[in-house]
Amino acid sequence: LKRNRAEIPNTYEWKNQLSEPGFIAAPVSCFKHAPIYECWDNITVGMKVEVENTDCDNFSESFPDSFWVATVLKIAGYKALLRYEGFGQNGSKDFWLNLCCNTVHPVGWCATRGKPLIPPKTIQDKYKDWKEFLVKRLTGARTLPSNFSTKIEDSLISRFRCGMNLEVVDKNRISRMKVARIEKIVGKRLHVKYYQAEQDDNGFWCHEDSPLIHPCGWSERVGHCISAHRSYMERCISGNLHEDDATEEYFITPRTIHYPPDIEFREGMKLEAVDPLNLSSICVATVMKVLKEGYIMIRIDSYDADESGADWFCYHSSSPCIFPAGFCDTNSIPLTPPKGYDPSEFDWETYLRENNLETVPLALFNREVPAHGFVVGMRLEAADLMDPRLVCVGTVSRVVGRLLKVHFDGWEEEYDQWLDCESPDVYPVGWCELVGQKLEGPRVT
Amino acid sequence: SETKSRKWEQKQVQIKTLEGEFSVTMWASGTDD
C-alpha cells in the first residue's frame, strides 16, 4: 500500500509551521482533484479517531502496537492536531498527524481487530474505570466512516498506468506536441518520457488532469503541430491505435462553449494571457491560429518575433488563463506589454488604434468564477511548473476572481505563478506526505 | 442543512479495553456504502 511507504529523504515537514500563529492552510475542500475531496466535508473538528499511542512503554510483548482514542482539535490541509482522550485541558502531548496516514482509524477499528485500547502512560492512573469515561466521551460524538481507509486508497488510484502513450507539450518547443510514454505515477502526477528524446533527457512531469496532455491522435484531429514517428501518425490517421495508446476517456475534455452567433476567435486578435514560459507574468498576446474543437494558438507579444512559430502556445478557448484586453488594468495587475512598449505607458486603446488591431470579444472568455474558497495567506503545496518534477511549499499571495497567485516561500516574486483556482498543480498541506512525493521546503537564505 | 445532516448516520461502535468490551453510539458520515 502506498501509505505504508518508507519515509522520503530530505522531504520538508510542515510540523514546525503548523502551530505558528496565523498559519492557515487551504482546506482540502478547495482542491477538487485532491484525494478524498468528496468526503472531506465530513472530517470535522471534535471528531474522535483511534490512533497509535506513542505515550507508552516502548515494548510490550502482548501489545506491540498500542492505540488510544484522540480528538481532532484543528485541521490544516490533510493534517490534524490531535489530543488523546483523558488529557482534558492539558495540551502537553498534543500532536499533528496526517489524517490519511495508516495509523489513523475510525473509532471501533481496534475492537474489530481484537486490539484493546491502552491509555497513554501520562494519564493511565487518572481513572479507575476507563469504560465509564470512554462511554461518556464517545457517545454521540462523530468518527470517520468505517471504510475511510478504502476511500483513501481508491482516491489515490490514477486513471492511467505506466507504459501508456499520450501526446504531451514538447517542453523544449512549446508550440508542438510529442508522443511520450508514462514511466511513473506519483499521486496522479505522471512522469513521462518523450519518444526519440536525447538519452539524458529526464522527461516531463504533470498531473493527469493537466491541459498539457492529450490522447493519442489529438494533434492530428485538432490541427496541432506534432513531432512523431511516421508509424505513429499512420496509426492515428487510420484509427488503429495500440492498446497502450491513451484514448479520449482518460482525459479531461474542456467544456464546450456555445458562443453567440458571428462572434469567434480570429487570427490577429489581441488578448491578455498568462505567459506559459513565465507564469508570474500576464502579457499582451495575439491569436496566431484557430485550431479545431475550440483550441487556439497564441503568441506572447513581449518576446522577439520568432518566424518559426516556436513560441506559440495552445490554450483552449475556455481556458481560465486567457483574458480580455483590459483585464489586468481592471484588477491592478501589472501587464507585460508588447516588445518595445514601456509598461508604464502602455495603453490598450492607443495601441489598438495606432496599429489598427482588434481584440478578442469579451463574450468569448470564460468568466465563470466558482466559489473556490481560496483566500490570501493560505498555505499549500504547489508544483513548480518551470521544473515540474518539484512540488514546493507555497502561499496564496493574490486572489483575482478565479485566478490565484502562488508565491513559493522564501523565493523572489519573479518565481510566483498565476494559476487557476481549479489547477491540478496545487495541493493541500500534507498531500506530498500522503502520496509519497518529496516536498521542497522554503528557500533558506 | 437537511442535506448536510443526512450525511451523518448513527451507528453502534464496539470498544475493547483491557477491562472488557462494550459498545457506544456514535455518528459516522454516511459513506459506508
Side-chain angles (χ1 to χ4, degrees):
Chain A
L1 289 180
K2 285 188 172 180
R3 290 187 299 135
N4 288 338
R5 76 181 64 76
E7 278 187 19
I8 305 158
N10 302 321
T11 193
Y12 179 74
E13 290 185 36
W14 286 98
K15 62 183 174 197
N16 294 334
Q17 289 195 59
L18 294 170
S19 296
E20 278 176 8
F23 183 95
I24 335 163
V28 173
S29 51
C30 287
F31 304 84
K32 279 187 184 168
H33 54 284
I36 61 163
Y37 158 84
E38 318 76 41
C39 58
W40 200 258
D41 274 353
N42 295 328
I43 308 293
T44 57
V45 167
M47 185 172 245
K48 314 285 180 190
V49 290
E50 287 180 355
V51 284
E52 219 169 0
N53 170 10
T54 53
D55 180 20
C56 63
D57 288 327
N58 280 340
F59 183 74
S60 153
E61 261 182 38
S62 330
F63 310 111
D65 50 350
S66 160
F67 286 84
W68 187 241
V69 180
T71 306
V72 174
L73 299 179
K74 217 189 261 184
I75 298 172
Y78 287 111
K79 301 277 210 175
L81 180 67
L82 299 172
R83 180 173 298 169
Y84 289 125
E85 275 304 332
F87 274 75
Q89 299 304 309
N90 176 1
S92 63
K93 290 274 160 72
D94 290 355
F95 55 100
W96 286 93
L97 207 57
N98 195 314
L99 277 175
C100 297
C101 76
N102 58 2
T103 53
V104 177
H105 305 284
V107 175
W109 181 87
C110 283
T112 60
R113 276 151 188 83
K115 292 170 187 284
L117 293 169
I118 298 169
K121 230 168 85 179
T122 312
I123 54 161
Q124 67 186 1
D125 300 323
K126 196 169 171 182
Y127 296 96
K128 276 197 180 130
D129 188 353
W130 282 105
K131 177 186 168 182
E132 195 191 326
F133 171 79
L134 287 174
V135 168
K136 217 160 125 188
R137 295 293 298 168
L138 298 179
T139 302
R142 288 174 173 187
T143 191
L144 298 167
S146 53
N147 61 352
F148 187 59
S149 170
T150 318
K151 283 197 159 293
I152 297 165
E153 276 141 31
D154 289 349
S155 70
L156 290 169
I157 300 169
S158 170
R159 296 192 295 274
F160 292 87
R161 56 179 164 76
C162 290
M164 283 180 118
N165 302 320
L166 67 175
E167 296 184 2
V168 187
V169 169
D170 182 351
K171 64 175 181 177
N172 297 318
R173 189 183 169 101
I174 59 165
S175 62
R176 74 176 176 196
M177 304 294 287
K178 277 191 131 182
V179 187
R181 181 179 186 273
I182 302 172
E183 295 288 318
K184 196 176 176 187
I185 306 177
V186 179
K188 299 194 181 181
R189 294 185 82 239
L190 315 177
H191 181 205
V192 301
K193 289 229 169 141
Y194 297 107
Y195 280 95
Q196 300 163 307
E198 300 291 330
Q199 219 165 18
D200 59 349
D201 188 307
N202 278 326
F204 187 69
W205 281 88
C206 65
H207 190 271
E208 65 178 27
D209 295 344
S210 167
L212 301 176
I213 54 170
H214 295 280
C216 293
W218 175 84
S219 299
E220 202 273 324
R221 203 178 72 226
V222 304
H224 198 291
C225 171
I226 182 168
S227 162
H229 193 269
R230 202 174 63 189
S231 62
Y232 174 80
M233 294 313 295
E234 279 168 4
R235 67 184 199 252
C236 289
I237 294 163
S238 66
N240 291 324
L241 293 176
H242 285 171
E243 57 175 22
D244 285 339
D245 293 340
T247 45
E248 209 66 41
E249 64 270 21
Y250 288 92
F251 296 82
I252 302 281
T253 315
R255 60 190 198 135
T256 315
I257 302 176
H258 299 287
Y259 297 122
D262 304 327
I263 301 183
E264 56 186 8
F265 283 91
R266 281 200 303 271
E267 277 178 30
M269 282 178 164
K270 296 286 175 180
L271 68 164
E272 297 179 7
V274 172
D275 179 352
L277 293 177
N278 176 9
L279 297 167
S280 68
S281 152
I282 300 180
C283 308
V284 171
T286 309
V287 177
M288 302 306 286
K289 194 176 175 189
V290 180
L291 310 180
K292 292 176 196 158
E293 298 181 17
Y295 291 96
I296 51 170
M297 298 302 295
I298 63 125
R299 181 185 169 271
I300 298 295
D301 290 352
S302 54
Y303 293 116
D304 285 323
D306 183 337
E307 295 305 321
S308 69
D311 54 355
W312 295 8
F313 184 70
C314 181
Y315 273 122
H316 191 264
S317 50
S318 66
S319 168
C321 295
I322 57 171
F323 318 96
F327 172 84
C328 283
D329 189 39
T330 309
N331 295 292
S332 306
I333 298 170
L335 173 70
T336 308
K339 190 166 175 67
Y341 286 80
D342 182 342
S344 61
E345 286 172 11
F346 179 77
D347 168 62
W348 265 114
E349 219 179 290
T350 318
Y351 174 66
L352 295 170
R353 195 180 53 242
E354 287 178 351
N355 295 286
N356 195 25
L357 296 164
E358 60 173 341
T359 56
V360 176
L362 195 64
L364 294 182
F365 291 93
N366 171 12
R367 282 173 294 167
E368 185 194 322
V369 180
H372 50 70
F374 285 103
V375 295
V376 169
M378 280 180 167
R379 314 298 297 278
L380 40 71
E381 301 178 0
D384 171 0
L385 297 177
M386 293 298 111
D387 188 359
R389 81 197 149 92
L390 304 176
V391 179
C392 313
V393 294
T395 306
V396 177
S397 62
R398 264 202 87 178
V399 179
V400 180
R402 61 180 301 154
L403 196 62
L404 312 178
K405 197 174 196 196
V406 172
H407 174 71
F408 291 107
D409 300 345
W411 294 85
E412 287 81 14
E413 263 185 63
E414 65 186 90
Y415 296 98
D416 290 0
Q417 293 182 168
W418 284 109
L419 295 167
D420 182 53
C421 62
E422 291 180 353
S423 162
D425 299 310
V426 284
Y427 313 99
V429 164
W431 178 85
C432 280
E433 182 185 20
L434 167 59
V435 304
Q437 161 78 44
K438 186 186 174 205
L439 175 63
E440 308 296 327
R443 184 173 67 159
V444 182
T445 48
Chain B
S1 71
E2 201 190 342
T3 331
K4 189 107 178 162
S5 61
R6 274 199 201 130
K7 286 185 182 172
W8 294 91
E9 286 166 4
Q10 231 174 2
K11 60 186 286 186
Q12 284 298 111
V13 173
Q14 204 65 18
I15 308 290
K16 182 176 176 163
T17 63
L18 292 171
E19 291 81 31
E21 246 178 278
F22 54 95
S23 72
V24 291
T25 309
M26 294 189 78
W27 292 91
S29 55
T31 51
D32 288 6
D33 44 289

